[in-house]
Amino acid sequence: MANITAGMVKELRDKTGAGMMDCKAALNEVEGDIEAAIDWLRKKGLAKAAKKAGRVAAEGLIGLAVSGTEGVVVEVNSETDFVARNEQFQQLVRGIAAVALATADDVEAVKAAAYPAGGTVTDAINSAVATIGEHMALRRSKKLGVSAGVIGSYVHGSVGEGLGKIGVLVALESTGKQDELAALGRQIAMHIAAASPQGLDAASIDADVVAREKAILAEKAQASGKPANVVEKIVESGLKTFFKEVTLVEQAFIHDPSKTVAQAVKESEGKVGAPIKLAGFVRFGLGEGVEKQESDFAAEVAAAAGV
């Protein structure tokens, strides 16, 4: 039997909102596997979907740069939040974003690209590490572009121009009025920052994610004794609800919840004066999916003092 710690129970409770004893039981059932425990709780009707954004975040900054019909978002991590407020680190992140905008859409290519102050991006990071005294790393970089239209952008938790805790780009393809498109693009980018969609539409959601959701819906329906034909309808209905929650085009628009994002885009075509295609988006939240080891500060002080 797996050794189930209090920390594991707390992590599962934070991610699901389920009761402590239910979390402990779930972990015992699945030999301590957190993701499997989340599914176990959901099948029992004791938890909602895993809150991926609730994972402990790494520190650092998200950097964003837009020029014409192209934009890029980068994530540069550091060990502490203090570094994010350091002017040298902020300048480094801005510089990396500028380089990434002019480089192939590949994080390794960005690391190897020339940095304006000399050397490569990797050299610039290493130099900052030596000066500031903390480990730093370019974790990811993603570009977005359109042939005609605008790249809308938004930075949440901003600490400076193009820098913050969440960075969003959204691609709107259109030959319409640029100012109207830009205003719409910012509104949608703000929506994405708040609603955190998993994909543009149903077709863009990972097949494994959809299969997992179907399995959970089916098992819950079967557990209630429903016949096969009813289970199938319940799963179909559940998936429709799921897609409304996780796909950008079907989410209720935060600026007007009476309509979906897709409807808001369609209605904006009159102002823009041309058809609009919502072509894609990028959303980087600082430290998404990165587990940071938490320390007991009091215990560390006691240990250092030999208590």
Side-chain angles (χ1 to χ4, degrees), residues 102-135:
T103 307
D105 191 17
D106 175 81
V107 70
E108 295 304 320
V110 176
K111 289 178 182 179
Y115 193 74
T120 65
V121 166
T122 295
D123 294 332
I125 293 172
N126 290 339
S127 177
V129 169
T131 304
I132 297 173
E134 273 197 24
H135 175 66

Side-chain angles (χ1 to χ4, degrees), residues 108-227:
E108 295 304 320
V110 176
K111 289 178 182 179
Y115 193 74
T120 65
V121 166
T122 295
D123 294 332
I125 293 172
N126 290 339
S127 177
V129 169
T131 304
I132 297 173
E134 273 197 24
H135 175 66
M136 302 170 196
L138 171 61
R139 182 182 173 215
R140 51 184 175 161
S141 172
K142 185 64 181 176
K143 290 177 71 173
L144 196 63
V146 291
S147 56
V150 302
I151 299 297
S153 65
Y154 174 69
V155 174
H156 184 72
S158 177
V159 298
E161 184 67 29
L163 302 174
K165 300 296 185 183
I166 298 174
V168 178
L169 298 176
V170 58
L172 296 177
E173 289 186 356
S174 178
T175 56
K177 299 173 185 175
Q178 295 291 295
D179 56 341
E180 293 289 351
L181 280 172
L184 176 63
R186 179 171 174 79
Q187 282 195 325
I188 296 174
M190 292 175 71
H191 169 97
I192 293 167
S196 192
Q198 293 183 31
L200 181 65
D201 51 26
S204 66
I205 301 298
D206 187 275
D208 290 340
V209 172
V210 177
R212 177 179 174 181
E213 193 66 24
K214 287 177 70 174
I216 291 169
L217 289 167
E219 187 160 334
K220 286 177 67 176
Q222 289 162 357
S224 64
K226 299 288 193 301

Side-chain angles (χ1 to χ4, degrees), residues 55-120:
R55 292 179 177 174
V56 178
E59 305 301 343
L61 284 172
I62 301 296
L64 184 152
V66 177
S67 178
T69 54
E70 284 194 325
V72 70
V73 187
V74 300
E75 178 179 1
V76 184
N77 293 132
S78 61
E79 292 181 55
T80 68
D81 184 51
F82 294 110
V83 171
R85 298 191 290 272
N86 180 293
E87 178 61 29
Q88 182 184 351
F89 181 72
Q90 292 179 9
Q91 287 293 91
L92 173 68
V93 178
R94 285 195 186 95
I96 291 173
V99 171
L101 187 60
T103 307
D105 191 17
D106 175 81
V107 70
E108 295 304 320
V110 176
K111 289 178 182 179
Y115 193 74
T120 65

